[in-house]
Amino acid sequence: MNFEKLKNKVDQAENTLEANERRVGADLRQLKDSWLAMWSPGRIIVVGLASGFLIGRAEPLQTVARGGGLLRMSSTLMTLFSGMTAASAASDAEAAEESAEETHAAAASVAAESAGVAASADSARRQRRRLPAGTSDNAAQDYLERLASAARQAGGNG
């Protein structure tokens, strides 16, 4: 055989393959369309009822023979689930306790700081009364600000 005859034979085989591929694709599309058309809602219901009846006739006998394995499995799963839920609740309770302790400590700190600021403001008022009569309001204000700053620094260190 010469090269041209082999090449023609290969081309003919490729064309035949492509034609077969197109035919199979068309057949599959037709099968899909007829399959979908066949499953109307009424037929689905009838097939469902028939298969349910057949399974219902066969299943109770097999369930009795197995000895309630499904019940044991569901009981085991419920126990596992409740254990995981209890562990999660315990960790949430610990987190809430820590958060409450932190909030209590922060509230105590704020209360102590506000008591210190109130004391320093009271001290500043007393100091203002002791200022000499000729002192201007700006100088008094500066003096009070210095006293309040010193009180805040002392409250922050203590």
Side-chain angles (χ1 to χ4, degrees):
M1 275 193 166
N2 68 17
F3 181 72
E4 286 299 319
K5 286 185 180 181
L6 287 174
K7 185 178 173 190
N8 288 339
K9 219 174 192 182
V10 169
D11 288 339
Q12 184 181 7
E14 286 178 351
N15 290 338
T16 305
L17 179 65
E18 287 178 10
N20 285 338
E21 285 177 350
R22 284 192 296 271
R23 192 175 68 236
V24 168
D27 289 346
L28 285 176
R29 280 191 299 277
Q30 184 180 359
L31 176 65
K32 179 184 173 188
D33 291 342
S34 63
W35 179 262
L36 291 177
M38 184 179 73
W39 288 104
S40 65
R43 287 183 180 166
I44 292 172
I45 291 172
V46 169
V47 169
L49 289 173
S51 64
F53 176 75
L54 292 174
I55 290 173
R57 294 280 295 170
E59 189 65 28
L61 298 175
Q62 292 176 358
T63 302
V64 170
R66 278 187 282 196
L70 183 62
L71 181 62
R72 261 186 274 129
M73 184 171 51
S74 64
S75 172
T76 303
L77 289 176
M78 288 303 291
T79 303
L80 177 66
F81 177 72
S82 62
M84 288 190 313
T85 304
S88 173
S91 68
D92 289 347
E94 288 176 2
E97 180 183 4
E98 290 173 4
S99 175
E101 288 174 358
E102 290 172 2
T103 304
H104 178 68
S109 172
V110 168
E113 185 177 326
S114 63
V117 169
S120 65
D122 188 38
S123 171
R125 275 190 226 105
R126 278 186 261 135
Q127 289 292 332
R128 185 171 185 197
R129 289 185 198 133
R130 292 186 201 153
L131 287 175
T135 307
S136 70
D137 285 337
N138 288 339
Q141 183 67 28
D142 289 341
Y143 180 71
L144 289 176
E145 287 176 4
R146 283 194 308 260
L147 284 176
S149 174
R152 277 190 228 111
Q153 287 178 352
N157 293 334

